[in-house]
Amino acid sequence: MTEKREPPDPSDEPDGAAVLSRITDPVVALDEELRVTFCNDAAADVFASAETDLLGTAVGELLPESIVTTFRDECEHAMATASSATFEIDHPASDGRFEGRLYPSQTGLSVFFRDISGRVRERSRLETRERALQRIYEIVGDIDRPFDRQVTELLSVVSDALGTEYGALSRIDVDTDTYVFEALSGPADCDFEAGDVVSLNATNCERVVRSGETLVVDDVETDAPDLADRTGNAEWGISSYLGIPVTVEGTPYGTFCFYDMDPRAESFSEWDVTLVELLGNWVSAGLESERTDARLESFAGMLAHELRNPLQIAHLYRQQAATGDQAAAEELATALDRMAELIDVILVTAGGTDSVIDWEEVALADAASDAWETANDDESGLVIETEQVVEADPTHLQYVLENLFSNAVVHAGPDVTVRVGDLPTGFYIADDGHGIEAAERSQVFEPGYTTDGGGTGLGLTYVDQLANTYDWDCTVTESHDGGARFEFTGTEPNAAD
C-alpha cells in the first residue's frame, strides 16, 4: 500500500484510460516515436485541430513550432534516463502556460498537463508589484531628487504597475473651473504636457475634488454612465480611471490619478487602490513641505526686509547713546522695540492659524491713523470712513495697514488718497492710483513679485500671510477711483467660529 508507483501508460489499460478521459487536465500518451496513442477530452480540446486526428499523430504536427523542440527534448531526455521530469511550456494557440509531467514506460511516455496560467499571471503580478515598490522606495528615499521630478517618476512607475497609459498630478481651481496638469506621465504622442490647463468639468477629477473621496472606474460606460459624456471620456476616450483627492494643509489641492483609453480587463484591485492612496498622501505631505519651505524662505526675506530700517537706526544712535545722549538713547530704544515687534509678528505669521495671538478689540480708525503716520507724512491723504472695531493684536493689524499704505505711496506717489471703509463682514483699503491689472492680481501676493525696481516683493506677501493667520479672506480688486482696493472679509468678532 505504501509502495510508490509510476502512473500507468493509459494506452495499456483500457479501464484506466476511461478514468483518465474524465480528468479535467490534459493527459496524453506517446509511443517511442512520440506519436499520440491516447488523449483525454481535455487534451483534445487543447491540441486538436480540424485538419488532424490526434491518435497516431506525431507531436511535431500538433504543437506550434515555437515550443515543439523544447517539448521533444524533454520527452527524449525522460525516456533516455527512464526518469520522470517536470517542465513548463507556453501554448500560444490556447494563450496559456502549462506544467508538464513526464512519466516514461516501456512503450513510451505518459504526459500529464496542468494549466498554470493563473498561477503564472499571479506570479508575474507579484513580481511587477515588487519591482514597483522597490522603485518607489528608491524615488521617495532620494532626498536630493527635486520633488517635482519625484512626482513625475512616481507617476510613471505607478502607471506601469497599474497597467494604465496615463498618470497625472493635477491642481484644481474650483472658482475658475480649471484643471492644471502639474505633472504628467504618458505616451510620447500625448496631447497634453505639464502646465496645460483644461476645463474642470471635462474631467473625472471634479467629482474626486468635490466629494473628497477616491473614485474607481473600471469602465466608464458601465460603472459611471453619468460621467460618460464628459469631454475627457467622450472625446479624449478615457474609459477607466483611478483617482484620489490631494489636499494641502486641509484644503483641496487637486488629484493624483491614473487613467486609460480602454476599459479594464481586470478590475483595479484593492492593492492598486491602496498604493495610489498611500502615494497620494505622500504627495500631499510633499506639497505641504514645499509650501512650508517657501513660506519660511519668504519669512526670512521678510524679516531681513522689515528689520533693515530699525537696525540702521539702532546702529546710527548706538554710539551717541553710549556717551549719555538721552535723545539718541530714546531713538535707540524705539528702534529696538520696533525690531522686537517685527520679530513677534513674523513668528506669529510663521505659526499660521496655530499661533497664540493676544486678541484685543482694536478701533480700525485709530490703527489706520497710526499706520499712515509711518507710511506718509501728509495726513490729508487718508480718508477714514469706518467706526469698525476689529478683533486682533494691535501690532499685527497696524503692520497690515502700514504695508498697504506704503504700497499705495510707492506706486501712486506721495499725493495718493487712501480710503479705509467698511464691508458687510470686514473692511477695505482703497487708493486712487493706477490700480493693478486684472491679469496680475493673482500674483501680487506671491513672494518676490514687484513692479518697483527697488522693492523686495514681500510687503503684500506679508499682508496675505498674516491675513491667513487670522483666517481672514484677502482679495484685490479695482477701487471706485480706478486704483487698487484690498478687501478683508471674515474679520468680524468670532467669524472663525
Side-chain angles (χ1 to χ4, degrees), residues 408-423:
V409 172
V410 167
H411 292 91
D415 296 330
V416 66
T417 297
V418 176
R419 294 180 180 275
V420 181
D422 291 333
L423 294 172

Side-chain angles (χ1 to χ4, degrees), residues 369-410:
S369 295
D370 292 340
W372 186 255
E373 289 182 11
T374 302
N376 195 348
D377 294 333
D378 184 1
E379 297 182 4
S380 64
L382 180 65
V383 179
I384 296 177
E385 301 173 329
T386 179
E387 296 181 358
Q388 184 175 159
V389 173
V390 178
E391 199 169 271
D393 184 303
T395 302
H396 302 168
L397 179 59
Q398 183 171 340
Y399 275 61
V400 167
L401 297 172
E402 283 182 11
N403 274 279
L404 291 173
F405 294 163
S406 295
N407 184 72
V409 172
V410 167

Side-chain angles (χ1 to χ4, degrees), residues 179-476:
Y179 173 107
V180 181
F181 289 97
E182 288 283 282
L184 179 67
S185 173
D189 59 352
C190 178
D191 292 334
F192 299 104
E193 60 183 21
D196 284 353
V197 181
V198 298
S199 174
L200 178 57
N201 59 20
T203 70
N204 299 319
C205 298
E206 180 183 27
R207 173 172 295 184
V208 176
V209 171
R210 294 192 186 279
S211 69
E213 297 178 352
T214 300
L215 176 62
V216 182
V217 180
D218 296 320
D219 184 346
V220 170
E221 292 290 341
T222 58
D223 296 346
D226 55 318
L227 298 176
D229 60 351
R230 296 195 165 223
T231 302
N233 303 323
E235 297 183 15
W236 305 346
I238 296 175
S239 295
S240 55
Y241 174 94
L242 168 56
I244 73 156
V246 173
T247 61
V248 177
E249 298 177 347
T251 302
Y253 177 89
T255 60
F256 190 64
C257 64
F258 300 86
Y259 52 95
D260 210 338
M261 302 306 169
D262 298 312
R264 300 283 292 182
E266 294 184 11
S267 297
F268 285 111
S269 68
E270 184 177 346
W271 186 90
D272 296 334
V273 177
T274 300
L275 177 67
V276 173
E277 289 179 339
L278 287 174
L279 290 178
N281 291 337
W282 180 87
V283 170
S284 292
L287 289 169
E288 288 184 3
S289 178
E290 281 210 322
R291 181 172 293 184
T292 299
D293 291 344
R295 183 185 295 124
L296 290 175
E297 184 177 346
S298 68
F299 289 157
M302 248 181 247
L303 189 58
H305 168 65
E306 297 288 350
L307 290 178
R308 185 177 297 117
N309 187 51
L311 189 59
Q312 288 173 344
I313 294 174
H315 279 300
L316 179 64
Y317 289 103
R318 179 173 55 86
Q319 290 185 346
Q320 294 172 256
T323 62
D325 187 327
Q326 184 61 34
E330 291 177 359
E331 292 288 350
L332 177 59
T334 300
L336 292 174
D337 288 343
R338 175 80 171 176
M339 285 191 285
E341 291 174 351
L342 284 167
I343 291 172
D344 173 69
V345 171
I346 297 297
L347 289 176
V348 168
T349 310
T353 54
D354 294 330
S355 299
V356 177
I357 298 172
D358 295 328
W359 298 91
E360 293 184 25
E361 291 187 349
V362 184
L364 181 58
D366 293 342
S369 295
D370 292 340
W372 186 255
E373 289 182 11
T374 302
N376 195 348
D377 294 333
D378 184 1
E379 297 182 4
S380 64
L382 180 65
V383 179
I384 296 177
E385 301 173 329
T386 179
E387 296 181 358
Q388 184 175 159
V389 173
V390 178
E391 199 169 271
D393 184 303
T395 302
H396 302 168
L397 179 59
Q398 183 171 340
Y399 275 61
V400 167
L401 297 172
E402 283 182 11
N403 274 279
L404 291 173
F405 294 163
S406 295
N407 184 72
V409 172
V410 167
H411 292 91
D415 296 330
V416 66
T417 297
V418 176
R419 294 180 180 275
V420 181
D422 291 333
L423 294 172
T425 61
F427 62 91
Y428 68 84
I429 310 295
D431 64 55
D432 59 357
H434 304 295
I436 301 172
E437 294 292 336
E440 299 178 1
R441 290 172 190 165
S442 62
Q443 306 174 49
V444 297
F445 297 119
E446 296 178 2
Y449 180 83
T450 180
T451 57
D452 175 21
T456 63
L458 293 171
L460 293 182
T461 301
Y462 164 78
V463 168
D464 182 55
Q465 291 180 342
L466 192 56
N468 289 336
T469 300
Y470 275 81
D471 269 341
W472 296 347
D473 292 321
C474 177
T475 56
V476 58

Side-chain angles (χ1 to χ4, degrees), residues 27-309:
V27 179
V28 177
L30 305 174
D31 62 17
E32 294 177 324
E33 302 297 324
L34 300 184
R35 293 188 300 266
V36 178
T37 59
F38 168 84
C39 68
N40 68 353
D41 293 342
D45 290 340
V46 173
F47 300 110
S49 65
E51 297 81 13
T52 306
D53 292 328
L54 282 177
L55 295 180
T57 303
V59 294
E61 299 177 27
L62 297 177
L63 299 177
E65 185 177 349
S66 59
I67 64 174
V68 68
T69 301
T70 299
F71 182 76
R72 184 183 292 115
D73 290 344
E74 293 286 349
C75 291
E76 291 175 350
H77 182 266
M79 289 191 295
T81 59
S83 61
S84 60
T86 302
F87 65 96
E88 291 185 11
I89 198 166
D90 291 317
H91 191 268
S94 63
D95 193 27
R97 186 168 180 83
F98 291 85
E99 177 185 77
R101 295 180 180 271
L102 303 174
Y103 299 97
S105 68
Q106 295 179 348
T107 57
L109 285 167
S110 297
V111 188
F112 292 75
F113 291 97
R114 175 174 295 175
D115 188 347
I116 60 171
S117 303
R119 188 173 74 192
V120 170
R121 284 193 297 270
E122 183 61 23
R123 183 171 62 198
S124 175
R125 183 182 294 114
L126 291 175
E127 290 173 351
T128 298
R129 290 176 177 178
E130 182 179 357
R131 288 193 300 270
L133 291 174
Q134 179 61 36
R135 184 70 183 122
I136 289 169
Y137 174 78
E138 293 172 357
I139 293 171
V140 301
D142 186 357
I143 60 175
D144 295 326
R145 196 174 310 206
F147 177 70
D148 56 349
R149 180 181 164 195
Q150 287 179 309
V151 172
T152 300
E153 292 181 4
L154 282 177
L155 289 170
S156 177
V157 171
V158 177
S159 289
D160 289 343
L162 301 183
T164 62
E165 265 197 305
Y166 299 86
L169 169 65
S170 72
R171 175 170 51 82
I172 288 173
D173 187 336
V174 293
D175 293 328
T176 59
D177 286 330
T178 54
Y179 173 107
V180 181
F181 289 97
E182 288 283 282
L184 179 67
S185 173
D189 59 352
C190 178
D191 292 334
F192 299 104
E193 60 183 21
D196 284 353
V197 181
V198 298
S199 174
L200 178 57
N201 59 20
T203 70
N204 299 319
C205 298
E206 180 183 27
R207 173 172 295 184
V208 176
V209 171
R210 294 192 186 279
S211 69
E213 297 178 352
T214 300
L215 176 62
V216 182
V217 180
D218 296 320
D219 184 346
V220 170
E221 292 290 341
T222 58
D223 296 346
D226 55 318
L227 298 176
D229 60 351
R230 296 195 165 223
T231 302
N233 303 323
E235 297 183 15
W236 305 346
I238 296 175
S239 295
S240 55
Y241 174 94
L242 168 56
I244 73 156
V246 173
T247 61
V248 177
E249 298 177 347
T251 302
Y253 177 89
T255 60
F256 190 64
C257 64
F258 300 86
Y259 52 95
D260 210 338
M261 302 306 169
D262 298 312
R264 300 283 292 182
E266 294 184 11
S267 297
F268 285 111
S269 68
E270 184 177 346
W271 186 90
D272 296 334
V273 177
T274 300
L275 177 67
V276 173
E277 289 179 339
L278 287 174
L279 290 178
N281 291 337
W282 180 87
V283 170
S284 292
L287 289 169
E288 288 184 3
S289 178
E290 281 210 322
R291 181 172 293 184
T292 299
D293 291 344
R295 183 185 295 124
L296 290 175
E297 184 177 346
S298 68
F299 289 157
M302 248 181 247
L303 189 58
H305 168 65
E306 297 288 350
L307 290 178
R308 185 177 297 117
N309 187 51

